[in-house]
Amino acid sequence: MNPNITTLPKVELHLHIEGTLEPELMFELATRNHIALPYHSPEALRKAYQFDDLQSFLDLYYQGANALITEQDFYDLTWAYLLRCAEDNVIHTEIFFDPQTHTDRGIDFDTVINGIHRALIDGERQLGISFGIIACFLRHLSQESAFETLTSVLQHQDKIIGVGLDSSEVGHPPQKFQQVFDQAKASGLYTVAHAGEEGPAQNISDSIELLHVSRIDHGVRCTEDPELVDMLIQTQMPLTVCPLSNLKLKVFDEMTQHNLVTLLDKGVAVTINSDDPAYFGGYMNANFAAVDEAFKLTNPQLAKLSLNAINASFIDEPTKRVYRQKIQHWLDNTK
Ligand code: HPA
Ligand code: ZN
């Protein structure tokens, strides 16, 4: 791996905490919770991680989440991710969780958020990693169910900074959630949405215009609409791109065909993120390394990717300034 990737301070903005559940921990939790898994070993489970598209991944991902039951499980899950962040020099992370994946099987919202939040507080104190938490609505479920979830989110607004939209994009366009996003925004929450991953470029424009999002998660299909790309550049609307995820879910066949670096060089505010690293083959450094292998990133390009993420984050301005200085320091001291 390019050693400059290792030392670059990074900010992660697109990470589903349930997608960090490594097979080994899944087995440990299943044993602890007396749950039977449909695989005989972590290795057998890992071998099943071959996906044709988003839906084939989501089926396994929701099944895996069944191992998470207690507040301690959610703590352990999040703590394991934070240790990986520390290894990869991630200085700030804004993580997603999917409340309905858990509440729909009888786990209390409080159990989930309290476990995740407690680990992030410990991570901030012990590892120096700042954080934000974003609750995602599952778009294959109804807006009514999203409204119920929003009620719980608002009871934990001291811990949750925003809401997002994930799960099956095709057939579940942004307009399905316009009212619940309006209410979230009116309540002071930030909004983001997955769009233009498997769905068309129109979903990106609609998420911006109808859901008033601050960032687009994925967004790689923007290139199908040159006017949209121009608008993304003008408005500096951030895209949280996930290169290894896109390869695993066959959004692109080869990393050399990925449009991330073209978009970066054109001035789109793209960032690199790991999405569901336990399923897609790597955390932040692995994602940067995969792009670097295909495109040979220069130090200014690497720095720009981190700066884009700092600008796109929901960190307060004084902290953003400190983080930008870290990138400048890296750039000044890296050959
Ligand atoms: N897309 C949509 N939903 C998801 C994803 C994703 O990449 N990861 C976890 N839920
Ligand atoms: Zn995602």
Side-chain angles (χ1 to χ4, degrees):
M1 192 187 299
N2 173 354
N4 296 346
I5 289 173
T6 320
T7 56
L8 175 70
K10 289 162 220 85
V11 166
E12 175 141 73
L13 303 177
H14 184 158
L15 179 283
H16 303 264
I17 198 64
E18 295 89 348
T20 69
L21 181 52
E22 293 286 346
E24 289 73 18
L25 182 57
M26 199 191 296
F27 270 75
E28 203 180 307
L29 298 181
T31 305
R32 193 154 100 186
N33 294 321
H34 311 287
I35 291 168
L37 293 176
Y39 299 89
H40 65 265
S41 68
E43 294 72 32
L45 177 55
R46 206 169 255 121
K47 277 210 187 98
Y49 291 174
Q50 310 286 340
F51 312 113
D52 298 322
D53 53 17
L54 176 59
Q55 194 57 51
S56 60
F57 154 69
L58 290 171
D59 294 344
L60 263 188
Y61 163 83
Y62 294 131
Q63 186 184 84
N66 288 332
L68 297 158
I69 307 283
T70 66
E71 184 184 315
Q72 191 60 39
D73 296 345
F74 288 94
Y75 179 97
D76 291 349
L77 171 75
T78 309
W79 185 251
Y81 163 65
L82 287 166
L83 292 178
R84 293 305 310 259
C85 283
E87 269 179 47
D88 283 10
N89 207 4
V90 172
I91 57 174
H92 176 82
T93 183
E94 290 175 11
I95 71 166
F96 298 134
F97 77 112
D98 287 341
Q100 291 148 303
T101 297
H102 313 297
T103 54
D104 281 8
R105 56 189 178 90
I107 312 291
D108 277 351
F109 189 102
D110 293 16
T111 301
V112 181
I113 186 64
N114 290 339
I116 294 172
H117 184 254
R118 186 159 56 86
L120 287 163
I121 291 287
D122 285 352
E124 184 150 55
R125 289 196 188 129
Q126 295 174 38
L127 307 169
I129 300 167
S130 55
F131 70 88
I133 304 178
I134 297 169
C136 284
F137 304 126
L138 298 180
R139 66 202 306 159
H140 66 273
L141 301 179
S142 66
Q143 176 166 246
E144 190 189 354
S145 173
F147 264 115
E148 281 168 24
T149 304
L150 179 61
T151 303
S152 300
V153 168
L154 293 175
Q155 287 164 3
H156 291 275
Q157 221 175 334
D158 55 328
K159 307 179 198 75
I160 298 171
I161 54 170
V163 295
L165 191 59
D166 66 1
S167 186
S168 323
E169 186 184 358
V170 174
H172 303 284
Q175 47 269 38
K176 181 176 164 186
F177 297 94
Q178 201 173 343
Q179 285 86 5
V180 74
F181 268 66
D182 277 348
Q183 187 167 329
K185 195 113 194 161
S187 308
L189 291 162
Y190 291 112
T191 60
V192 299
H194 283 54
E197 177 190 19
E198 274 201 345
Q202 186 67 40
N203 280 358
I204 301 172
S205 318
D206 289 347
S207 298
I208 295 167
E209 281 161 30
L210 306 177
L211 306 184
H212 309 290
V213 295
S214 301
R215 306 194 285 251
I216 291 289
D217 296 312
H218 292 294
V220 289
R221 284 190 58 188
C222 66
T223 9
E224 292 166 17
D225 179 353
E227 277 181 29
L228 171 62
V229 174
D230 287 345
M231 189 268 272
L232 294 175
I233 296 167
Q234 270 168 26
T235 58
Q236 286 295 288
M237 172 61 65
L239 305 185
T240 64
V241 179
C242 306
L244 286 174
S245 164
N246 292 156
L247 268 202
K248 272 282 193 181
L249 302 188
K250 302 190 172 16
V251 175
F252 295 93
D253 293 331
E254 300 282 340
M255 194 59 86
T256 49
Q257 293 167 9
H258 203 292
N259 58 10
L260 171 87
V261 179
T262 308
L263 291 171
L264 176 71
D265 291 345
K266 273 190 170 182
V268 178
V270 289
T271 63
I272 289 185
N273 308 271
S274 72
D275 207 5
D276 301 284
Y279 294 86
F280 299 150
Y283 290 76
M284 283 291 268
N285 283 357
N287 274 276
F288 272 81
V291 175
D292 182 57
E293 238 171 69
F295 293 96
K296 293 289 160 242
L297 295 169
T298 63
N299 289 346
Q301 282 175 319
L302 286 170
K304 183 69 176 143
L305 286 161
S306 269
L307 285 171
N308 284 349
I310 293 168
N311 294 338
S313 74
F314 300 132
I315 314 170
D316 60 87
E317 246 338 290
T319 311
K320 278 188 179 179
R321 270 198 292 280
V322 173
Y323 286 175
R324 284 190 198 106
Q325 284 163 5
K326 283 184 195 276
I327 306 303
Q328 190 57 48
H329 183 262
W330 174 86
L331 199 50
D332 293 342
N333 292 280
T334 304
K335 276 208 285 277

